Amino acid sequence: MNPDLAQLVQHVTDLFEDLDLASVRQWKQAQPDRFAIGFMPIYVPREIIHAAGMLPVGVMGGGDRLEIIRGDAYFQSYICHIPRSTIELALTHRLDALDGMLFPSICDVIRNLSGMWQMLFPERYVRYVDVPQNFDPAVGGAFWRHELEALRQDLQNLGRTTIEDDALLQSIAIYNENRRAIRELYEARSDRPWIYPISEVYLLLRAGNVLPPEDHTRLIRRYLDLAPLEENRREQDMSRVVLVGMFCEQPPLGLLLTLERAGCWIVDDDLLLGLRWFGGDILEVGDPLDNLVNSYLGEGARTASVYQPEGHRGGWLVESVETHTAEGVIFCAPSFCDPALLEQPMLVAALEEHGIP
């Protein structure tokens, strides 16, 4: 492997394997008055955190790299892995770099986790981010505007600062650039998946959980320049598949590698969906909160935790298969993930209607 590419891949691998958030601690130590705000999957308005001068940090649990000992005392052992491993990370002081935590409304488990967090860490800032499920601007839009204003005020109080509209518009522009880079990465992967293997794309994307968005964007663009230079990456006769069901808890890296080694090019997925929630740019002029609201209502991702009218489930998945010329879909939902497993029969029905395996 080209030394520059090897160094980049090693860097994102180190970030992935670091359960102690060393990079976040280093970012904070560079300026003692900095704050880091953790967020659970899938979507939170990171632009507001960034505009406050704080670092948004994605918390995905401990995956298969953490033995759960104390976490099982707080949650049932048969539910999904992410709440138990997140509690384990916190109780073992691996998340001490975080000055607050945001818990978006994904499912009842995450709602309960937010309450558990408040009891275990009463001195830390905690907020349950209740995203709208009504997409009427006069109803869901007004509700979401109110939630964004409350979050903005909370972060101003925590950081003893003021989040000006101009700063928020600038943060929106920075995240627009980051999402554009991610879209370019996904488009390049779909066109030539042998050049951009899932083992690298996933680790590169996941680095966005702990890096400032400006650094993450530069890292993606550097990778897009370096990966095509690898001469030993050649097209192979493998199946093009779409991978779904992992919008919240992330799979073991070994599972992604196994799927690829078994003959599957992963040409689209719902991994780390919160980092690429919007299909287009958010407006960078005008009222920034209105812009965030309008993008959520009109450009937000379609997934199991988002309401869709009767009969509309599965359309996005069929569209993904067609757009990426995939040959089939693989479902990889975590055990006892109610949103994913309840949605799966509807997605399967939509696929069967179109003859997609």
Side-chain angles (χ1 to χ4, degrees), residues 23-291:
S23 66
V24 177
R25 296 173 194 271
Q26 292 168 5
W27 180 86
K28 292 183 67 177
Q29 289 167 1
Q31 293 184 21
D33 59 343
R34 283 177 166 177
F35 291 80
I37 304 297
F39 63 90
M40 298 293 293
I42 44 183
Y43 171 75
V44 299
R46 293 177 294 156
E47 293 85 354
I48 298 178
I49 303 172
H50 183 270
M54 303 177 182
L55 179 66
V57 179
V59 177
M60 305 288 130
D64 60 345
R65 295 162 293 133
L66 179 71
E67 182 181 5
I68 298 177
I69 300 173
R70 301 173 67 181
D72 280 344
Y74 296 87
F75 285 96
Q76 309 95 313
S77 60
Y78 58 79
I79 64 171
C80 64
H81 194 265
I82 194 168
R84 295 180 289 124
S85 64
T86 300
I87 288 289
E88 188 75 29
L89 289 170
L91 293 176
T92 53
H93 302 288
R94 290 179 169 94
L95 302 182
D96 284 357
L98 303 179
D99 301 286
M101 279 289 292
L102 302 181
F103 297 87
S105 53
I106 306 168
C107 65
D108 289 342
V109 170
I110 298 301
R111 180 187 293 272
N112 293 338
L113 179 59
S114 70
M116 189 71 68
W117 205 271
Q118 292 178 49
M119 291 189 290
L120 288 172
F121 310 106
E123 74 285 357
R124 299 189 199 178
Y125 171 66
V126 181
R127 182 172 184 85
Y128 182 74
V129 182
D130 203 355
V131 297
Q133 297 292 349
N134 183 311
F135 292 84
D136 182 341
V139 181
F143 168 80
W144 188 227
R145 167 90 194 200
H146 178 270
E147 288 293 299
L148 295 180
E149 289 172 344
L151 176 61
R152 182 182 193 170
Q153 187 60 55
D154 282 356
L155 295 180
Q156 289 180 146
N157 295 340
L158 179 65
R160 297 182 178 87
T161 187
T162 300
I163 303 174
E164 303 287 354
D165 280 358
D166 286 346
L168 187 47
L169 288 171
Q170 184 178 4
S171 292
I172 287 173
I174 288 169
Y175 274 102
N176 276 343
E177 183 63 26
N178 182 250
R179 285 184 287 263
R180 281 195 293 269
I182 293 173
R183 288 197 296 271
E184 289 175 25
L185 175 64
Y186 265 63
E187 289 167 4
R189 192 264 308 266
S190 177
D191 289 341
R192 297 186 294 171
W194 55 92
I195 299 291
Y196 310 94
I198 188 65
S199 56
E200 295 175 0
V201 170
Y202 176 69
L203 292 174
L204 182 63
L205 189 63
R206 183 144 174 171
N209 276 338
V210 293
L211 293 177
E214 303 92 332
D215 294 347
H216 189 228
T217 299
R218 285 192 290 269
L219 200 63
I220 293 173
R221 298 206 180 281
R222 178 65 172 156
Y223 176 77
L224 285 168
D225 289 339
L226 291 173
L229 302 179
E230 284 298 295
E231 296 179 355
N232 62 341
R233 296 184 174 181
R234 298 181 177 86
E235 186 173 2
Q236 301 176 50
D237 184 16
M238 293 168 60
S239 298
R240 297 171 59 88
V241 302
V242 175
L243 202 60
V244 294
M246 300 171 294
F247 54 88
C248 177
E249 182 172 345
Q250 300 300 289
L253 181 60
L255 173 60
L256 299 178
L257 293 171
T258 298
L259 290 171
E260 198 163 64
R261 289 168 182 169
C264 295
W265 291 131
I266 299 171
V267 294
D268 197 20
D269 57 63
D270 59 0
L271 296 161
L272 297 163
L273 199 56
L275 302 187
R276 48 196 179 89
W277 189 259
F278 300 113
D281 288 349
I282 302 173
L283 278 178
E284 300 172 12
V285 295
D287 186 316
L289 291 187
D290 279 350
N291 297 347

Side-chain angles (χ1 to χ4, degrees), residues 7-23:
Q7 183 179 22
L8 188 154
V9 172
Q10 186 59 55
H11 176 51
V12 295
T13 301
D14 291 343
L15 292 174
F16 169 74
E17 293 177 346
D18 177 26
L19 295 179
D20 296 309
L21 299 181
S23 66

Side-chain angles (χ1 to χ4, degrees), residues 297-310:
L297 297 181
E299 293 279 349
R302 292 162 290 177
T303 188
S305 64
V306 176
Y307 171 75
Q308 293 178 54
E310 186 70 27

